[in-house]
Amino acid sequence: MADRKEDTSKHRLKQKDLVALLLTLFSEEYDKAQVDSITDILLPMGTIKAYLRQKVGISYTSDAWIITQVRKYEEEIGTTLFRKAVSGEGAALGLYQNITTYEQKRHLYISQKIRAANGVFDLIRNSAEKRPSGDTVSLLLEAGSTVTRVAEIIAQNLQLLPLKWDICTHNLGVIECLGKTSSVYNNVSISVPQGKFDPVTHLILSDRLELYLERNFDWIIQGTSFLTEGKLYVEKPEEAHLKATILHECIGKKVLVLTGHETTSHLPGPAEPFGLVSDYDYVVYPAMDSGSSAAERMDREMTRCADILPVMIKNWSYVILARL
């Protein structure tokens, strides 16, 4: 009866809105939690229902209805995001622990990615505001869902800056975000290197990088999957080679954007680093609760390069380190 009542109620969230709120809740909990990964967090269904009631004023009485909507969303996007579990307070929801694909990763650490991406955009905007109207900003937007968030924020602000945007990328998320046909995107041009599409990473992977190597970029934005002892890693050797070439051979101000979850002492397997934190001109990451494990790990990592990359900006939303 409760399920039927909620199904027929006009005061219920759409699947994507419900999932978006759940992912935001997990991101907020990660900011405070003593865990290594957001996938370690378990939230009792009572906590979830209280959060939904507080945020949108809807009182859900059925755990099963929420789970059903989550599963339908997963079926729609073709991947698994959540897992059912049991906590000390009864039925609970966690995030799927075998997160490997871009499609999965883009749903995680939502608030952290938004804060970090805003920091990158503010860095670009503060520099661009000194340019004359109609001037062109040249960007290499590299791999990963965090870099895609940077593209999303650029897209949201296209009308605010009277500039042209020359984008080079092999990230399909960036292309989908900035490759629109409405008039607001008329000042955006996108160039893509030759290569083969990899659906796991959502990238065009190639050794043919003339497109990148023959240009001078204003900004080169990169992310990473793992950070340990100042070294940066990704899962696939092909992507690591591509990232290393861009980092060490391409011309432009290089920005490393992090969410905090990358810091780890446990790599998934044997791997060679594609670079070091100290190779970058700027590092941007979200401001975090000082009591969280993520903040402690990030502080340890950033202390390693403090002499080279001291804090330039620190506010409630993000931190920017800049090379002296």
Side-chain angles (χ1 to χ4, degrees), residues 122-294:
D122 286 348
L123 190 63
I124 295 170
R125 176 173 58 185
N126 290 340
S127 174
E129 285 177 345
K130 301 172 186 177
R131 294 170 177 261
S133 180
D135 199 5
T136 298
V137 178
S138 177
L139 296 179
L140 198 171
L141 293 176
E142 222 245 328
S145 57
T146 305
V147 175
T148 300
R149 286 283 174 179
V150 176
E152 289 176 359
I153 292 175
I154 291 173
Q156 293 164 10
N157 289 274
L158 286 174
Q159 291 180 305
L160 300 181
L161 294 175
L163 299 165
K164 295 180 180 178
W165 299 83
D166 182 14
I167 309 293
C168 284
T169 188
H170 51 283
N171 183 338
L172 267 290
V174 171
I175 296 169
E176 291 164 354
C177 179
L178 289 169
K180 305 288 179 64
T181 57
S182 63
S183 59
V184 72
Y185 294 89
N186 288 346
N187 287 333
V188 178
S189 66
I190 301 176
S191 300
V192 183
Q194 178 182 349
K196 184 176 181 180
F197 174 61
D198 177 17
V200 173
T201 59
H202 215 53
L203 301 177
I204 300 169
L205 296 176
S206 172
D207 290 328
R208 300 287 302 275
L209 293 180
E210 294 86 354
L211 174 67
Y212 295 165
L213 296 172
E214 294 174 358
R215 298 194 181 201
N216 290 350
F217 295 97
D218 294 311
W219 302 94
I220 298 171
I221 316 299
Q222 287 190 306
T224 188
S225 297
F226 307 103
L227 163 58
T228 183
E229 297 183 350
K231 299 176 183 178
L232 305 166
Y233 302 83
V234 288
E235 293 92 340
K236 289 200 168 189
E238 306 97 311
E239 186 186 351
H241 174 72
L242 176 57
K243 295 179 84 71
T245 301
I246 291 171
L247 175 58
H248 299 295
E249 298 184 31
C250 290
I251 299 173
K253 296 174 187 173
K254 298 182 174 75
V255 182
L256 175 65
V257 57
L258 304 168
T259 65
H261 80 277
E262 303 89 349
T263 54
T264 180
S265 58
H266 304 290
L267 294 174
E272 290 293 324
F274 67 82
L276 307 172
V277 173
S278 56
D279 291 330
Y280 289 85
D281 299 298
Y282 298 89
V283 179
V284 184
Y285 59 93
M288 291 176 278
D289 190 314
S290 59
S292 70
S293 291

Side-chain angles (χ1 to χ4, degrees), residues 78-102:
T79 195
T80 304
L81 296 175
F82 295 91
R83 59 189 169 97
K84 290 195 295 183
V86 177
S87 71
E89 299 176 48
L93 198 63
L95 291 168
Y96 187 57
Q97 292 185 301
N98 187 25
I99 298 291
T100 58
T101 69
Y102 172 92

